[in-house]
Amino acid sequence: MKKQIVANWKMNTARAQAVALVNALKAKAGQGSPHFDLVICPPFVWLADCASLVAGSAMGLGAQDCHAAEKGAYTGDISAPMLKELGCSYVILGHSERRQHHQESSILVKEKATQAIKNGLVPIICVGEVEAERAIGQQEVIVARQLDQSIPDTGRFYIAYEPVWAIGTGKPPSLEDIRIMHDFIRNRIDPSRGVAILYGGSVKVSNAREILATKNVDGVLVGGASLDAEEFWGIAQASPTHKG
Ligand code: PGA
């Protein structure tokens, strides 16, 4: 499987910036057949613009959240069928910023993931411990619980391991800590589900090569560094070239 290089723009970009960013990535991707898969997850409001730009390219489109229900009286929310109709193939779910600021539980994340899969989207389910949990060695207990409660019963999904203390701090875990947690996640999930396990949290050009070469790291979820086309492209290009 090619490495999955996913951009999480969060609540960033003006429309012109979003368009420029996609165009810059498209120009780079058009120069040859890359040895990685690129997915961009813009804010909802630019999804339609980005969908028309990535149409016909190898770049995938994703959203940053969806509602657990198919439709209904949920003012301000966005459904999985709406995202599918817009051209999305992926949706990030249970990001720590959603868990923290919107009190999202793993139970809710599972409901959202189930709805996403029903509508043909691949959920990218985020898990990860906070600093205080790692300080007392509880990271595997926390991640295990998040996995057990948020993984949908059937269908294809990705996991993104994002230690909360590494997000936007410039301080990723050691490669050994990444390897240990990715092994743990791999062993926790039924192998028949063929899950891709991404790492996220302070991924940059300067550390991408080592992280992407780490065992059981199938790709990266990139926040801040994905807002710069050069930087994000550099991260993608740091993917190992061998297949497998
Ligand atoms: P970061 O964010 O790359 O800015 O640390 C990653 C994420 O939150 O997905």
Side-chain angles (χ1 to χ4, degrees), residues 66 89-93 109-110 112-118 120-126 150 152 154-160 195-196:
C66 72
S89 307
Y90 302 87
V91 59
I92 298 170
L93 293 176
V109 172
K110 179 175 176 176
K112 290 183 174 199
T114 304
Q115 188 63 251
I117 288 169
K118 193 174 158 208
L121 301 169
V122 176
I124 301 171
I125 298 170
C126 302
S150 56
T154 56
R156 194 164 158 253
F157 66 97
Y158 291 0
I159 291 294
V195 65

Side-chain angles (χ1 to χ4, degrees), residues 90-104:
Y90 302 87
V91 59
I92 298 170
L93 293 176
H95 189 282
S96 65
E97 287 149 17
R98 304 277 327 163
R99 292 178 187 263
Q100 186 189 342
H101 304 304
H102 297 265
Q103 290 75 46
E104 290 196 4

Side-chain angles (χ1 to χ4, degrees), residues 52-103:
S52 51
L53 291 172
V54 303
S57 82
M59 226 184 295
L61 187 67
Q64 300 171 17
D65 182 41
C66 72
H67 198 273
E70 189 140 38
K71 62 176 181 175
Y74 301 104
T75 303
D77 281 313
I78 306 286
S79 73
M82 290 171 185
L83 297 177
K84 185 67 186 174
E85 189 173 346
L86 270 179
C88 289
S89 307
Y90 302 87
V91 59
I92 298 170
L93 293 176
H95 189 282
S96 65
E97 287 149 17
R98 304 277 327 163
R99 292 178 187 263
Q100 186 189 342
H101 304 304
H102 297 265
Q103 290 75 46

Side-chain angles (χ1 to χ4, degrees), residues 24-240:
L25 292 172
K26 248 175 72 173
K28 292 175 185 298
Q31 285 162 11
S33 149
H35 53 284
F36 47 80
D37 289 329
L38 278 191
V39 177
I40 53 162
C41 302
F44 288 130
V45 288
W46 314 140
L47 281 173
D49 291 297
C50 293
S52 51
L53 291 172
V54 303
S57 82
M59 226 184 295
L61 187 67
Q64 300 171 17
D65 182 41
C66 72
H67 198 273
E70 189 140 38
K71 62 176 181 175
Y74 301 104
T75 303
D77 281 313
I78 306 286
S79 73
M82 290 171 185
L83 297 177
K84 185 67 186 174
E85 189 173 346
L86 270 179
C88 289
S89 307
Y90 302 87
V91 59
I92 298 170
L93 293 176
H95 189 282
S96 65
E97 287 149 17
R98 304 277 327 163
R99 292 178 187 263
Q100 186 189 342
H101 304 304
H102 297 265
Q103 290 75 46
E104 290 196 4
S105 65
S106 292
I107 308 284
L108 177 64
V109 172
K110 179 175 176 176
E111 288 170 14
K112 290 183 174 199
T114 304
Q115 188 63 251
I117 288 169
K118 193 174 158 208
N119 286 280
L121 301 169
V122 176
I124 301 171
I125 298 170
C126 302
V127 297
E129 80 286 355
V130 301
E131 193 160 27
E133 291 160 343
R134 180 164 282 266
I136 54 167
Q138 288 296 293
Q139 62 274 9
E140 290 185 357
V141 175
I142 297 298
V143 168
R145 190 184 310 142
Q146 290 173 335
L147 291 171
D148 295 353
Q149 294 182 348
S150 56
I151 290 176
D153 297 334
T154 56
R156 194 164 158 253
F157 66 97
Y158 291 0
I159 291 294
Y161 170 57
E162 298 206 307
V164 179
W165 49 274
I167 295 176
T169 59
K171 290 186 201 137
S174 68
L175 293 173
E176 181 62 3
D177 283 342
I178 294 176
R179 188 190 63 72
I180 290 170
M181 183 59 86
H182 279 242
D183 280 354
F184 177 77
I185 295 172
R186 179 75 73 208
N187 289 331
R188 189 95 190 166
I189 301 173
D190 178 353
S192 73
R193 306 216 43 192
V195 65
I197 307 171
L198 317 185
Y199 168 76
S202 295
V203 176
K204 293 177 282 207
V205 163
S206 55
N207 58 25
R209 188 169 302 280
E210 291 174 326
I211 292 174
L212 284 162
T214 301
K215 184 166 162 263
N216 283 322
V217 173
D218 301 315
V220 285
L221 180 55
V222 187
S226 73
L227 295 166
D228 179 309
E230 283 298 325
E231 177 88 9
F232 185 58
W233 185 253
I235 290 169
Q237 282 203 308
S239 303

